[in-house]
Amino acid sequence: MDAEKNLSLSGNGSVAGGQYNKVQINGSGKVHGDLMCRSIEINGYGRISGAAKAAQVTINGSAVIDQQLSAESVIINGSCKVEGDVHGERIQIDGRTKVLGAMRGDYVRSSGLLSVEKNLESEELAVTGPLKVGGLCSADRIEMGLSGMTSRIKEIGCGTLTVRRQTASTLFASLLGALGKRKLIVDSIEGDDIYLEDTEAKVVRGDRVKIGPGCMIGRVIYRSDYQKDDKAEVQTSLNM
């Protein structure tokens, strides 16, 4: 394929994978095999039966990628399912995304619904929508705003973690909030500076730990400082 050739699908159709410049799917299209290009934009329905690699990926419609997705910038406003891993420098989720592998990015922001079956790794993670991580969620800095539904994470490892209640500011967030109580459920948390609200955890380990209102914690293990709100429940605490 010619790397300078653009690909545009406006109706129903399919095309062989390969190298392109710009790829745009406005109708319903399928790419057979791996796809390598400068940009991918899906406004309708698109399926890539191999791996996808691009500088920029924008999904406003619905997409399925059967293998790995790699891009410098990933923006998902619609829905996307990736069967493999996702790698990106900047990943922005405003719609619904399900990753059956792992996700790695320098900066990950999600205000939609994000589900990662394996590990989620980032230098900075900002979340205001429901988040599900089946493995380790790790970042230098994690900020979570609980505005609707329950977030479930196996383990959290971080430098700084802040989990706060957040008032629903959009219709989407209000609808999510109506579906269930907003909270974070996690097996274990380990970090340097930790502040939690509305969190259920078996173990929290940190240097400076502050347990805010609405929390139910099994054990807190801290080094320098520990504080607990009157509206929080902690079964045991231990100074290392």
Side-chain angles (χ1 to χ4, degrees):
M1 290 290 179
D2 185 355
E4 295 303 317
K5 183 178 179 181
N6 295 329
L7 171 63
S8 179
L9 291 173
S10 297
N12 295 330
S14 62
V15 67
Q19 295 184 9
Y20 292 91
N21 181 30
K22 296 180 180 179
V23 174
Q24 186 176 66
I25 299 176
N26 296 314
S28 178
K30 183 173 183 179
V31 178
H32 298 277
D34 296 343
L35 182 63
M36 181 179 294
C37 54
R38 183 175 299 171
S39 66
I40 301 173
E41 182 179 344
I42 299 176
N43 299 310
Y45 170 78
R47 180 161 196 150
I48 301 170
S49 64
K53 185 175 182 179
Q56 182 172 342
V57 175
T58 304
I59 298 173
N60 299 313
S62 177
V64 176
I65 300 171
D66 289 347
Q67 296 182 27
Q68 179 175 296
L69 170 61
S70 300
E72 294 176 11
S73 171
V74 178
I75 300 174
I76 299 175
N77 299 313
S79 65
C80 182
K81 179 181 178 182
V82 181
E83 306 264 345
D85 297 340
V86 174
H87 302 273
E89 293 181 11
R90 296 182 64 85
I91 301 173
Q92 179 176 320
I93 310 296
D94 294 315
R96 185 184 186 98
T97 300
K98 184 172 185 179
V99 179
L100 301 186
M103 176 179 282
R104 297 179 183 89
D106 293 343
Y107 175 74
V108 178
R109 185 188 72 79
S110 177
S111 60
L113 285 78
L114 175 58
S115 173
V116 180
E117 290 203 357
K118 295 183 179 179
N119 296 340
L120 171 56
E121 301 176 24
S122 178
E123 292 183 9
E124 185 173 347
L125 173 63
V127 179
T128 55
L131 174 64
K132 294 186 178 182
V133 180
L136 172 66
C137 179
S138 63
D140 292 339
R141 182 180 180 87
I142 301 176
E143 292 188 2
M144 296 186 65
L146 303 176
S147 59
M149 296 179 66
T150 296
S151 291
R152 298 178 183 271
I153 300 173
K154 182 67 175 177
E155 299 175 274
I156 295 178
C158 60
T160 301
L161 170 63
T162 303
V163 181
R164 294 183 183 274
R165 299 172 176 175
Q166 182 168 302
T167 303
S169 58
T170 66
L171 177 60
F172 180 65
S174 299
L175 291 173
L176 288 177
L179 295 176
K181 177 176 171 57
R182 57 188 183 193
K183 62 182 176 179
L184 167 64
I185 299 176
V186 57
D187 282 356
S188 66
I189 299 172
E190 184 164 356
D192 295 325
D193 291 280
I194 299 171
Y195 176 76
L196 305 175
E197 293 180 357
D198 291 339
T199 298
E200 295 182 13
K202 296 177 182 178
V203 180
V204 176
R205 295 183 179 91
D207 186 16
R208 292 169 291 276
V209 179
K210 186 173 182 179
I211 306 299
C215 289
M216 296 180 64
I217 311 298
R219 174 179 291 187
V220 172
I221 303 170
Y222 67 97
R223 288 185 293 272
S224 300
D225 184 61
Y226 166 59
Q227 299 178 48
K228 185 185 79 71
D229 189 273
D230 291 339
K231 296 180 180 180
E233 180 180 327
V234 176
Q235 293 180 8
T236 60
S237 61
L238 174 66
N239 182 214
M240 292 186 293

